[in-house]
Amino acid sequence: MTPGGAGVAQRHDQQTGGPAGLIGIGYERGGAPGARSAVVDGPYAEDGSPHGTSHGPLMTYASGDDGTRAGPDLGTGLTARTAEEVLAGYLHQQAADFLRSLRLHRESGSDAEGAGDAARQLRRAARRISATLHTFRPLTEEEWADQLRSELGWLSGTLAREQACAARRDRLMAALQRLTGRGERPERSDRGSLDDRGDQAKREKRDSRGNRRDRPAPSRSTTAAASQPASAAAASTETDPDGALAAGAARAGALLDRQLTLARTRAHSAALQALGSARFHAVADSVAVLASEAPLAGKNAELPAAEALPPLADQAYRRLVEAVAVLPLSRAGYPYNAAALAADQRQDAPWHQVRMLVRLSRYAREVLAPEYADHRLAEAGRALEWHRDAAEAAAAASAAARTPRIAPATAYALGVLHADQRHEVEAARFAFGRVWLPRAGERTGAGTHDLPGGMP
């Protein structure tokens, strides 16, 4: 069962979210569309693990003029420190993690697994540095911050492509096995063939001792069946959809494996070239400086942390709420709504935008309150990463189906695979809506929760 499968099986008449027009967090009405995000988007790098184990009293809420909650107010635990102390400390920590991961990557040598783990940690630190410089940009030297963010985005994207190709290949191969039922059948058939061979060997050994029987000659019908052309047997399966899928799945898998392995090889070569370039060494030098000195704007950075940092984090949160407001959550709240089956980049783009804004809000929360985990934002981020993975896998299946001169059975298997991944996209949207929108019975008590913006 895929993640969120239990939720997808829910009855269509069961309430899953707030009423139409109350899209956002709690009862905050969504704002205008067009929220912008600049977080480094390195795919497949978020491990999804929570950074804490409990919710604390630090989570309070700021109220707007209209009585709606405008997101978390995290300033209560920052009164004794300046903005420079909090922001510089977080950037120093992430820069140190970046340099440590870089050293591990260089020391891994031929250890592919170790190099992959180091690259993931490298991108993790790069994303947090970039997101922090974006969210708290007014407190930094803006020209320096923009330049470093741009370079970290280039590095993270370059290193992420190899792992993305490998994960996409594994996902599609597993989906093909699930769709054709080939995950369990070979084991049973192999066991049966071994038993048959053992019984036949025992019979032949017993016959060789003196009671050997003459085997009957094969009948004409058996001979005719054996001499039947393979094309005629294949044609007989075309009337059976399951048979046609099984006939084309092997070739479809081989085609996808060849294309994605080639893409992964090219991505690996590009990553190695990038890590040896002068551009990368310049980025590493900038991060090394950041590990000991954070270029912050003097006047704003000297303000108390509780005064300077929470408004900027709240601004990132509001951009997230505005982006969620344009999503069709009222329709996505119903399972099997078929809204995501059509492969269209324009309908996927707003969901990808929200995923990046969720990261920005999570990382801003880490700066202000690293000891408290925001489980709801982490869960929403995992649902949106599932959405991205399925959308990219569907696009890969569609691209493979456009390969010239492929067999009809292969094209049919790729079409079924594409539809399966678009169903996964739909399920991920449903799961995100279940996380984001309040349940019907929890709306009245939303003010008592310790989660940001009244999320249940």
Side-chain angles (χ1 to χ4, degrees):
M1 179 178 293
T2 58
V8 174
Q10 179 185 351
R11 297 198 326 267
H12 71 281
D13 57 345
Q14 182 175 351
Q15 284 213 309
T16 57
L22 297 178
I23 304 299
I25 295 183
Y27 280 97
E28 181 173 3
R29 296 186 181 272
R36 184 176 64 88
S37 165
V39 68
V40 176
D41 184 25
Y44 303 96
E46 193 64 49
D47 56 5
S49 59
H51 300 282
T53 57
S54 64
H55 302 94
L58 190 61
M59 292 301 295
T60 57
Y61 300 96
S63 298
D65 296 337
D66 56 353
T68 60
R69 279 183 297 213
D73 178 12
L74 300 175
T76 56
L78 306 174
T79 54
R81 305 163 66 188
T82 65
E84 181 177 7
E85 292 173 347
V86 175
L87 195 57
Y90 184 81
L91 290 174
H92 293 339
Q93 177 185 355
Q94 298 304 322
D97 291 344
F98 182 98
L99 297 176
R100 187 181 306 109
S101 302
L102 178 59
R103 177 177 57 82
L104 293 176
H105 189 276
R106 289 174 176 172
E107 294 176 353
S108 61
S110 59
D111 183 7
E113 183 177 357
D117 291 340
R120 279 188 289 272
Q121 295 298 321
L122 190 71
R123 296 199 319 273
R124 180 181 182 275
R127 282 197 317 276
R128 280 162 170 77
I129 294 172
S130 178
T132 302
L133 294 178
H134 170 71
T135 302
F136 302 100
R137 183 173 180 267
L139 302 181
T140 66
E141 295 181 5
E142 296 183 356
E143 183 178 355
W144 165 84
D146 293 343
Q147 176 68 19
L148 183 56
R149 281 197 301 111
S150 176
E151 294 302 292
L152 289 174
W154 160 76
L155 176 62
S156 182
T158 302
L159 295 180
R161 281 195 286 271
E162 179 182 359
Q163 186 186 1
C165 292
R168 196 171 304 132
R169 176 197 170 278
D170 294 342
R171 181 187 186 92
L172 290 172
M173 295 300 105
L176 272 177
Q177 289 186 356
R178 184 183 71 251
L179 291 171
T180 58
R182 293 161 55 196
E184 299 178 356
R185 292 177 183 174
E187 183 180 356
R188 292 197 297 266
S189 61
D190 291 342
R191 187 185 301 114
S193 61
L194 289 174
D195 294 340
D196 292 342
R197 288 194 217 114
D199 294 340
Q200 182 180 358
K202 291 178 181 180
R203 287 195 300 270
E204 290 179 357
K205 184 176 181 181
R206 187 168 56 250
D207 292 342
S208 64
R209 293 176 179 174
N211 295 325
R212 188 175 188 84
R213 297 186 298 268
D214 294 332
R215 296 180 182 176
S219 62
R220 291 184 179 181
S221 60
T222 306
T223 305
S227 61
Q228 182 181 9
S231 59
S236 64
T237 64
E238 293 181 359
T239 59
D240 181 12
D242 294 335
L245 178 59
R251 292 184 179 181
L255 177 61
L256 288 169
D257 179 72
R258 183 167 62 251
Q259 291 182 349
L260 293 175
T261 300
L262 178 60
R264 181 183 181 182
T265 302
R266 291 175 177 173
H268 180 72
S269 300
L272 292 179
Q273 184 177 2
L275 290 175
S277 65
R279 183 178 182 181
F280 169 75
H281 289 293
V283 176
D285 291 341
S286 299
V287 176
V289 172
L290 185 61
S292 58
E293 179 183 358
L296 302 177
K299 181 181 293 186
N300 293 332
E302 293 175 357
L303 295 173
E307 177 182 344
L309 298 182
L312 297 175
D314 185 69
Q315 184 179 3
Y317 178 82
R318 286 182 178 274
R319 285 198 299 266
L320 171 60
V321 172
E322 293 172 359
V324 174
V326 302
L327 297 179
L329 290 187
S330 57
R331 182 173 183 180
Y334 293 97
Y336 307 113
N337 56 74
L341 296 188
D344 187 357
Q345 293 182 353
R346 289 174 296 180
Q347 76 157 273
D348 291 338
W351 295 87
H352 298 329
Q353 178 83 350
V354 170
R355 175 177 55 82
M356 293 186 291
L357 289 171
V358 166
R359 280 186 174 179
L360 278 176
S361 294
R362 282 188 58 208
Y363 297 158
R365 165 68 184 258
E366 286 184 9
V367 174
L368 301 184
E371 65 273 20
Y372 295 104
D374 194 330
H375 296 292
R376 289 295 176 177
L377 280 181
E379 191 175 352
R382 285 193 292 270
L384 292 173
E385 287 172 7
W386 173 23
H387 176 276
R388 175 207 56 201
D389 295 348
E392 292 180 350
S398 178
R402 292 192 294 269
T403 304
R405 298 184 298 277
I406 60 175
T410 305
Y412 175 75
L414 290 170
V416 173
L417 183 61
H418 174 269
D420 173 76
Q421 293 303 303
R422 292 307 300 183
H423 276 291
E424 292 280 323
V425 170
E426 178 185 322
R429 294 178 182 180
F430 176 83
F432 173 78
R434 296 283 291 175
V435 172
W436 189 263
L437 292 176
R439 309 298 188 267
E442 297 171 345
R443 294 178 189 134
T444 57
T448 62
H449 291 290
D450 291 333
L451 294 168
M455 284 190 293

